[in-house]
């Protein structure tokens, strides 16, 4: 509830403000005035839900001010304060429709009761409308979603209840919260409300749009759209989360609200091309000049080699380098940036699958690619990359979680695979029988010793094919095959490709 306090004694104004904050955090002091003339002017600018006013004040008393307010068609509720219990004051206040008349000094209980009564009356006022219309927030939500057409009954309700004219201009703001919507929307409403309440002369309504992961702010009373836009860019954006993107568009009348939202929202991903604290203003955003976006092929090749080598530090460094490619000071078309991310992530997932990272198979690539193309912030793209790297590391930890004997057996395979070490030799080094080792190995890994050895050799050969320029016979020797032709046959049996073809498609 937006409240204006009109009281000539500063000590009492401060006391009322403190009482309001104790009663309910939703009671927001939109302004304070020291006499009736200043109060009338502020009421015209702020159009508060409630005016709390003293009776006796210099220049213009409280009751004269209320009469002037109502004469101007501003239908705000009022609580009148007085140090006198004279009947004439109370009778005049009642003629003006004031039902709450409190004597000074004001007690917390009396003020709390009066505010609750006013709150209920405001709620009742808003119910005096066509049956199918909800609150102002619900009405705007239905209009923005396209589920409601603005007929005469709705237009009359908005005009009579809120002074909103069908043909007037609106400012529509979108605060996109993305994946943080579920945890941040309430905080976002508080921050936006608190910030916009400091901007004089505007009235607004905040609408939750969960399906867009956004908060829509409909500003329906303001003087200059250009001034408001500048203020949002340099003031409001500082108070929002790093995950949020703010968009701005003006609508030419109630019937243009949905179309204005549709014009703005597709451009919200331009935040990816700039930085997180840029206001996306339509139609200005349509005039932005962009550079040529070149895919960093070399980083992809280096990333594949790092994945093959299980070099997680290198993987993280290369992902950062990839993201920095699009933060070089130039402006690129956001769709092209996201297409580069799709290409990059698709390539590294395929490489992870090729070398046998089991968790890579579990990633639903189509859903992941949709998340990339629907992203509106660099933070969202960064989170997707981080999630993939975490899955890679977790998959390797799971692969290494077998019992101690099998861990030691694997360690020996990884150390001596290129010498052709056998099951018997490893069993001898571990002081157990080959039969016991073979049984335990199959139970823990799900494959036989010979299959594991073969797959490991092929995995190491993939690393060399992608990460080096070694010749085929050199790679065969390096992984323990003396005959290059036999190596090629085994490689194709495992992968479905010849080594040369794998190298060609992986670079």
């Amino acid at each position: 509830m937006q409240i204006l306090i009109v009281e000539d004694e500063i000590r009492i104004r401060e006391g009322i403000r403190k009482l309001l904050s104790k009663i309910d955090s939703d009671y927001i002091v939109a302004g304070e005035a020291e006499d009736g003339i200043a109060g009338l002017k502020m009421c015209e600018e702020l159009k508060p839900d409630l005016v709390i006013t003293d009776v006796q004040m210099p220049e213009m008393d409280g009751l004269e001010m209320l009469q002037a307010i109502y004469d101007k068609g501003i239908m705000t509720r009022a609580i009148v304060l007085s140090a006198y219990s004279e009947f004439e004051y109370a009778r005049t206040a009642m003629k003006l429709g004031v039902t709450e008349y409190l004597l000074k000094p004001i007690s917390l209980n009396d003020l709390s009761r009066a505010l609750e009564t006013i709150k209920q009356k405001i709620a009742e006022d808003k119910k005096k409308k066509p049956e199918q219309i909800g609150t102002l927030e619900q009405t705007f939500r239905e209009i923005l979603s396209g589920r409601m057409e603005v007929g005469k009954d709705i237009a009359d309700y908005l005009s009579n209840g809120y002074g909103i004219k069908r043909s007037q201009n609106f400012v529509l703001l979108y605060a996109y919260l993305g994946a943080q919507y579920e945890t941040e929307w309430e905080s976002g409403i508080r921050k936006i409300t608190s910030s916009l309440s400091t901007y004089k002369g505007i009235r607004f309504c905040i609408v939750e749009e969960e399906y867009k992961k956004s908060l829509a702010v409909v500003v329906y009373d303001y003087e200059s759209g250009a001034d408001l836009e500048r203020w949002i860019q340099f003031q409001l954006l500082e108070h929002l989360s790093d995950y949020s993107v703010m968009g701005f568009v003006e609508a030419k009348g109630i019937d243009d609200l949905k179309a204005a939202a549709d014009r703005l929202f597709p451009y919200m991903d331009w935040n990816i091309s700039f930085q997180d604290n840029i206001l996306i203003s339509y139609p200005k955003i349509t005039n932005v000049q962009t550079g040529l976006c070149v895919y960093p092929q070399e980083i992809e090749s280096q990333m594949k080699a790092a994945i093959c080598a299980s070099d997680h530090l290198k993987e993280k460094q290369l992902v950062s380098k990839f993201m920095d490619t699009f933060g070089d000071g130039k402006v690129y078309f956001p769709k092209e940036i996201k297409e580069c991310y799709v290409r990059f992530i698709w390539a590294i997932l395929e490489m992870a699958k090729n070398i046998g990272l089991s968790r890579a198979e579990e990633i639903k690539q189509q859903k992941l690619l949709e998340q990339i193309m629907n992203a509106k912030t660099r933070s969202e793209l960064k989170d997707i990359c981080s999630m993939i790297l975490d899955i890679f590391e977790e998959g390797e930890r799971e692969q290494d979680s077998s019992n101690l004997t099998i861990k030691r057996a694997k360690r020996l395979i990884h150390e001596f695979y290129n010498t052709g070490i056998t099951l018997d030799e490893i069993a001898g080094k571990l002081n157990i029988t080959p039969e016991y080792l073979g049984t335990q190995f199959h139970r823990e890994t799900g494959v036989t010793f010979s299959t594991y050895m073969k797959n490991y050799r092929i995995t190491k050969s993939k690393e060399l094919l992608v990460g080096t320029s070694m010749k085929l016979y050199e790679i065969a020797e390096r992984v323990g095959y003396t005959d290059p032709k036999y190596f090629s046959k085994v490689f194709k049996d495992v992968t479905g490709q010849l080594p040369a073809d794998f190298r060609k498609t992986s670079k």
Side-chain angles (χ1 to χ4, degrees), residues 266-286:
Y267 289 89
M268 295 289 280
D269 64 354
W270 274 85
N271 184 268
I272 291 168
S273 302
F274 298 108
Q275 48 187 333
D276 290 343
N277 61 349
I278 293 294
L279 178 67
I280 306 301
S281 177
Y282 184 93
K284 292 179 183 177
I285 192 66
T286 62

Side-chain angles (χ1 to χ4, degrees), residues 310 312 393-404 406-407 410-411 414 444 452:
S310 299
H312 300 309
E393 284 196 57
E394 187 178 335
E396 288 197 4
R397 284 196 296 270
E398 287 178 359
Q399 289 173 351
D400 290 341
S401 63
S402 51
N403 68 41
L404 183 59
I406 304 307
K407 280 186 179 179
K410 284 183 178 180
R411 196 175 300 122
H414 297 169
E444 285 287 334
Y452 184 88

Side-chain angles (χ1 to χ4, degrees), residues 78-97:
I79 294 176
V80 171
L81 312 176
S82 177
Y84 307 95
S85 58
E86 294 183 15
F87 176 70
E88 277 304 313
Y89 284 136
R91 187 170 66 176
T92 304
M94 284 187 286
K95 283 181 181 179
L96 292 171

Side-chain angles (χ1 to χ4, degrees), residues 114-351:
L115 287 166
E116 186 58 35
T117 301
I118 293 291
K119 193 174 181 180
Q120 290 175 5
K121 288 185 179 297
I122 290 173
E124 289 170 8
D125 289 343
K126 290 180 180 180
K127 289 178 183 176
K128 295 174 183 176
K129 54 190 176 290
E131 211 170 283
Q132 73 274 23
I133 304 175
T135 63
L136 182 62
E137 177 190 342
Q138 291 167 339
T139 302
F140 278 134
R141 182 185 293 113
E142 294 299 298
I143 292 171
L144 288 171
S145 68
R147 293 188 294 265
M148 176 184 285
E149 291 186 9
V150 183
K152 185 178 183 302
D153 54 351
I154 296 169
D156 289 346
Y157 158 64
L158 293 175
S159 177
N160 297 332
Y162 299 94
I164 299 171
K165 306 303 179 186
R166 185 168 200 146
S167 59
Q168 73 173 62
N169 286 353
F170 296 81
V171 161
L172 183 60
L173 305 175
Y174 264 99
Y176 172 79
L177 303 178
Q180 306 301 303
Y181 181 86
E182 288 187 9
T183 57
E184 293 289 330
W185 69 269
E186 289 181 301
S187 171
I189 289 175
R190 286 196 298 272
K191 289 176 182 177
I192 292 170
T193 300
S194 176
S195 296
L196 285 179
S197 296
T198 66
Y199 192 93
K200 302 299 182 185
I202 67 170
R203 288 190 296 163
F204 59 91
C205 177
I206 300 177
V207 178
E208 301 150 29
E209 293 202 51
E210 186 175 358
Y211 67 102
K212 286 184 176 178
K213 300 178 181 177
S214 302
L215 299 172
V217 184
V218 183
V219 184
Y220 55 89
D221 193 354
Y222 63 100
E223 290 186 6
S224 167
D227 289 346
L228 181 57
E229 180 183 345
R230 281 192 293 271
W231 183 84
I232 291 166
Q233 172 66 68
F234 297 110
Q235 298 292 328
L236 178 58
L237 291 184
E238 293 183 5
H239 301 288
L240 297 178
S241 154
D242 289 340
Y243 275 83
S244 59
V245 179
M246 182 69 81
F248 178 102
V249 65
E250 284 197 82
K252 306 297 183 183
I254 294 175
D255 299 290
D256 187 42
L257 273 174
K258 170 68 165 59
D262 292 342
R263 292 194 294 272
L264 170 65
F265 206 76
Y267 289 89
M268 295 289 280
D269 64 354
W270 274 85
N271 184 268
I272 291 168
S273 302
F274 298 108
Q275 48 187 333
D276 290 343
N277 61 349
I278 293 294
L279 178 67
I280 306 301
S281 177
Y282 184 93
K284 292 179 183 177
I285 192 66
T286 62
N287 299 319
V288 172
Q289 299 297 310
T290 60
L292 178 64
C293 188
V294 179
Y295 181 74
Q297 182 63 55
E298 180 60 28
I299 296 177
E300 179 194 306
S301 298
Q302 293 172 1
M303 185 68 179
K304 287 178 177 178
I307 291 170
C308 287
S310 299
D311 188 340
H312 300 309
L313 178 59
K314 186 70 172 176
E315 290 170 2
K316 290 176 182 177
Q317 291 171 344
L318 287 168
V319 166
S320 294
K321 188 177 179 182
F322 173 80
M323 291 189 292
D324 289 344
T325 301
F326 311 105
D328 58 358
K330 297 178 183 177
V331 178
Y332 302 110
F333 195 66
K335 184 172 182 286
E336 293 179 357
I337 294 175
K338 290 193 280 189
E339 285 172 348
C340 286
Y341 270 83
V342 168
R343 180 176 169 182
F344 182 71
I345 288 173
W346 190 279
I348 65 177
L349 284 176
E350 289 301 307
M351 176 53 66

Side-chain angles (χ1 to χ4, degrees), residues 92-110:
T92 304
M94 284 187 286
K95 283 181 181 179
L96 292 171
V98 175
T99 57
E100 300 305 319
Y101 187 91
L102 302 181
L103 292 178
K104 298 178 182 177
I106 310 164
S107 72
L108 179 65
N109 288 339
D110 286 345

